[in-house]
Amino acid sequence: MIVSVAKGYMLETLRNFGVLFGNILPPIIFLICSVLVKSFLDSPETVEFMIKGQFLPISILLLLFSFSLSSATIYLAELKAHKTFHWLKRTDVSPFIYFLGMGVGVFLFMNLLLILLLIGYAWVASISITSFLMIHFICNLILLALYPASFIIAGIVKDEKVAQSLLVPGMIILMFSITMPSLFLTIGGANPQDYYIFLSWNPMLYLFDTLHAQLQLIDHTWLNLYHYALILIGFSIIFSILAKKIYNR
Amino acid sequence: MTLTVENLTKKYGNTTVLNKITGTFSEGKCYLLLGENGSGKSTLARCLAGDEPYDEGTISLKQDTIHFSDQIALQYQDFDSYPHLKVKEVIQLFRQLITNPFHTDELEKILDMDTFTNTLIKNTSGGQRKAVSILLAFLLNKPFILLDEPFADLDLHKKQRLADFLQRQVKQNNKCLILISHEITGLEDLFDYVYILKNGTFIEQGSHTELLQKYPDNVFPGLAGVYFEVTGKTLKEMTG
């Protein structure tokens, strides 16, 4: 049953060209920008800093947001609007199996695109194998934390249009609450990590900080990686419990 | 197994849509729900299927260890789910999500599914979506099946073939069919018992023969005449 649900989700996502293109394009745009910057700027150090400090993290944040939260939320909201859950509740598939099945689809899409994106960036900036693997690992932890949140959002909205309109401010908050303070604090000569406690509610913080450490932009992460793993698993458990409560209503 | 409905009341705000409905639905029988638009047929179907909470009354199965809605398949008027999957992929998906699916080969032929099996759901017509919906309702393999206007959009030949198929499901597989349909001419032998709804209440009920005996001198023949005698309206007016 898990395989059937995953296959159904993946086929629908692949055939929904508009949504698929919309999800893939933003991270690719930043990769294209990196290639262009590298081609036109003569200062290799500045280019490397720009790519690692801005383009690569934003690309990955967008990719993760699109595939672990946005596309799953819209898909679920569409299922809800079309009364698919009324049909599904009469089958023998449990909500948990459906959650896992869709999760497999989301996991495969996100990982495939992440590998391609990182290979693309490895072509324009130096990324070691260890960094490659560590980035991959933290991205999967973020996926684990954000994926159940898609069930919460889809559970409270009426249809995919409402979901989409909620996701836009959601994306802005999740992404810019991390990148902007970090940028301005650095410009102001302050250490952004001193203020991370105020942003610890945002799962993207742990990705952003790990990325900067893995790309040698900072010496060390705010907390240890295993702390991040525990926090993100905690997020995942809390979101899963909330999602279960919403779907049991 | 018998599904019993007692004093079922459903309200939307101050409007009472179902008013103390009482009736029984047994396996091995086919029931017809007749009533004009807004009489409460679809609301009753949704309450029976467990999709709609009700305000008062009870719906129960004689085997009280099972929840009634777990034993009922409701064919919704339309099927919009999985718009980017092909018809055959949707059927395959559901077949894999059901432990003991119904064998739908015959029904697929009756509904001409092979002519649009490779079409994406979003590109299918209303009639084709209804066919998918009917097929899935049977695929679920539940003892009680609620069908909402299953004969609409079908030509006379297909109507008759579907009616024969439904009759066999009742007699041979002991299914309980509850049909909401205004297209009953020539298919009346299918129905064992008829409920006529008006303003959320059963205003008349009985077996096919009982009703014909009770209303012998009708303007229209068969159940259409009974319906006219009881409600003062024709079956065509039933759909508005």
Side-chain angles (χ1 to χ4, degrees), chain B:
Chain B
M1 212 171 353
T2 302
L3 183 70
T4 310
V5 180
E6 279 179 291
N7 295 318
L8 188 75
T9 301
K10 168 76 190 169
K11 292 174 185 171
Y12 290 118
N14 292 327
T15 314
T16 305
V17 186
L18 297 176
N19 190 10
K20 298 195 172 174
I21 292 260
T22 296
T24 53
F25 302 93
S26 303
E27 278 183 303
K29 287 195 172 168
C30 181
Y31 295 85
L32 174 66
L33 291 182
L34 284 175
E36 61 188 327
N37 262 3
S39 62
K41 303 183 301 285
S42 297
T43 308
L44 175 61
R46 286 198 301 274
C47 287
L48 291 175
D51 289 350
E52 195 89 60
Y54 45 89
D55 299 294
E56 287 168 35
T58 55
I59 304 174
S60 59
L61 279 174
K62 278 207 171 156
Q63 290 181 350
D64 57 347
T65 48
I66 312 164
H67 192 261
F68 68 89
S69 65
D70 294 337
Q71 299 300 310
I72 298 174
L74 170 61
Q75 170 246 318
Y76 298 92
Q77 283 232 21
D78 213 347
F79 184 84
D80 297 322
S81 305
Y82 304 111
H84 300 282
L85 289 187
K86 293 174 183 172
V87 170
K88 67 176 180 188
E89 289 165 347
V90 170
I91 295 167
Q92 184 65 16
L93 173 65
F94 273 81
R95 204 165 267 153
Q96 282 163 349
L97 300 181
I98 301 163
T99 315
N100 181 27
F102 181 81
H103 295 288
T104 54
D105 299 352
E106 188 190 351
L107 190 55
E108 282 178 43
K109 278 182 195 147
I110 293 170
L111 298 169
D112 261 345
M113 304 283 289
D114 55 340
T115 57
F116 58 94
T117 191
N118 283 313
T119 312
L120 294 179
I121 292 288
K122 66 172 185 166
N123 296 333
T124 52
S125 66
Q128 290 169 337
R129 285 181 198 201
K130 173 162 277 177
V132 175
S133 185
I134 293 171
L135 192 100
L136 293 180
F138 273 94
L139 196 67
L140 291 167
N141 210 0
K142 304 283 185 191
F144 294 87
I145 303 172
L146 278 150
L147 301 173
D148 200 347
E149 297 290 355
F151 301 112
D153 305 317
L154 293 180
D155 62 42
L156 200 61
H157 178 62
K158 276 188 201 158
K159 256 183 219 169
Q160 195 55 58
R161 284 181 69 197
L162 181 60
D164 291 343
F165 171 82
L166 296 178
Q167 197 150 38
R168 265 180 285 123
Q169 295 316 308
V170 173
K171 302 298 172 209
Q172 291 169 13
N173 292 340
N174 205 32
K175 300 270 185 199
C176 171
L177 297 182
I178 304 166
L179 271 70
I180 297 170
S181 179
H182 73 284
E183 302 205 21
I184 55 171
T185 312
L187 310 169
E188 294 178 0
D189 290 342
L190 175 63
F191 310 112
D192 296 301
Y193 203 85
V194 183
Y195 287 105
I196 300 176
L197 267 149
K198 192 175 182 184
N199 298 328
T201 312
F202 287 148
I203 52 166
E204 186 57 279
Q205 57 179 286
S207 71
H208 182 185
T209 340
E210 280 169 2
L211 290 175
L212 289 178
Q213 281 170 357
K214 195 170 174 183
Y215 301 94
D217 305 314
N218 298 322
V219 182
F220 301 107
L223 287 173
V226 172
Y227 183 76
F228 184 74
E229 284 291 312
V230 174
T231 63
K233 293 190 174 175
T234 62
L235 282 172
K236 277 192 179 172
E237 287 174 279
M238 187 174 143
T239 50

Side-chain angles (χ1 to χ4, degrees), chain A residues 56-70:
Chain A
L56 173 57
I58 291 175
S59 264
I60 292 179
L61 287 174
L62 282 167
L63 181 82
L64 267 173
F65 183 84
S66 299
F67 283 90
S68 60
L69 190 67
S70 176

